[in-house]
Amino acid sequence: MKKKQNRRPSATTSAWAEVRGSAIHGRGMFATKWIPRGTRVIEYTGERVSKAEALHREELRRRRLRRGGDGNIYTFEVTRRQDIDGRVPWNTARFINHSCEPNCESQIVRGRVWIVALRAIRPGEELVYDYCYDYDHYEDHPCRCGAPGCAGYIVKSSQRWRVRHAAAKRR
């Protein structure tokens, strides 16, 4: 009987972009040439996990955050039963940073997650999309995008008014 080999998938690549240092946060993904509006720039890949496993991993992430570790979220909800955990070394799309004024968006197409250009993107421009985090625990996720309309925290656009309201109450 042959022994089953556990091979790590090859790193995801894009004909449109590359990973390098980012002024927003750590590393980011940058356009290497003009990217037309509507282009699927890169697939967001990772380990497919059940909802129960995704919740377990979320609790582990919160523990890391409480200990001062990495509080980043890399999970995409794909179906009612399954998520993609993008916290894997081969998923280079995980380096795309959040912005309150995105030039890309995530789209789920037949169980796959694509990062798609919302507008034409020029060479050298950093690719960014709205992570669409919920308002719950927003204070765990400060935003560093620097956009004029930035709420200061990573939350979906429909919830940013709540963050601004909470900040105004604290003043």
Side-chain angles (χ1 to χ4, degrees):
M1 180 184 241
K2 284 188 175 183
K3 188 176 180 182
K4 192 176 183 180
Q5 290 184 348
N6 290 331
R7 289 190 186 186
R8 184 169 95 181
S10 299
T12 53
T13 59
S14 172
W16 303 98
E18 67 184 8
V19 175
R20 56 182 196 238
S22 168
I24 295 174
H25 183 251
R27 290 187 279 176
M29 187 162 263
F30 293 80
T32 55
K33 56 186 170 184
W34 279 98
I35 302 175
R37 178 178 170 259
T39 299
R40 287 183 181 174
V41 179
I42 191 168
E43 184 177 3
Y44 190 96
T45 61
E47 185 180 357
R48 290 185 179 269
V49 297
S50 67
K51 293 293 181 184
E53 178 61 21
L55 289 171
H56 171 71
R57 292 178 183 193
E58 171 64 9
E59 180 52 38
L60 294 175
R61 181 195 68 79
R62 287 187 189 190
R63 287 184 202 159
R64 277 193 311 274
L65 181 62
R66 284 192 295 270
R67 291 190 314 264
D70 179 9
N72 294 331
I73 300 171
Y74 298 97
T75 306
F76 263 94
E77 183 175 325
V78 180
T79 68
R80 290 184 315 167
R81 295 182 182 165
Q82 194 175 65
D83 291 346
I84 292 178
D85 183 352
R87 188 186 182 102
V88 293
W90 65 85
N91 179 27
T92 54
R94 77 185 186 281
F95 295 113
I96 301 174
N97 285 310
H98 164 85
S99 177
C100 295
E101 292 182 9
N103 55 19
C104 294
E105 68 179 355
S106 60
Q107 293 181 2
I108 298 170
V109 180
R110 291 187 207 104
R112 296 170 73 182
V113 179
W114 293 96
I115 305 301
V116 179
L118 286 172
R119 60 169 174 76
I121 302 170
R122 63 185 185 280
E125 187 175 349
E126 184 167 3
L127 305 180
V128 290
Y129 67 96
D130 185 345
Y131 286 3
C132 293
Y133 289 176
D134 287 325
Y135 179 76
D136 302 339
H137 310 289
Y138 75 90
E139 292 175 314
D140 291 345
H141 308 287
C143 183
R144 302 177 185 109
C145 76
C150 180
Y153 293 93
I154 301 173
V155 294
K156 61 179 123 187
S157 60
S158 64
Q159 298 295 304
R160 290 188 192 128
W161 70 270
R162 295 177 75 183
V163 172
R164 290 184 188 98
H165 181 74
K169 284 176 84 173
R170 282 190 293 251
R171 289 186 214 152

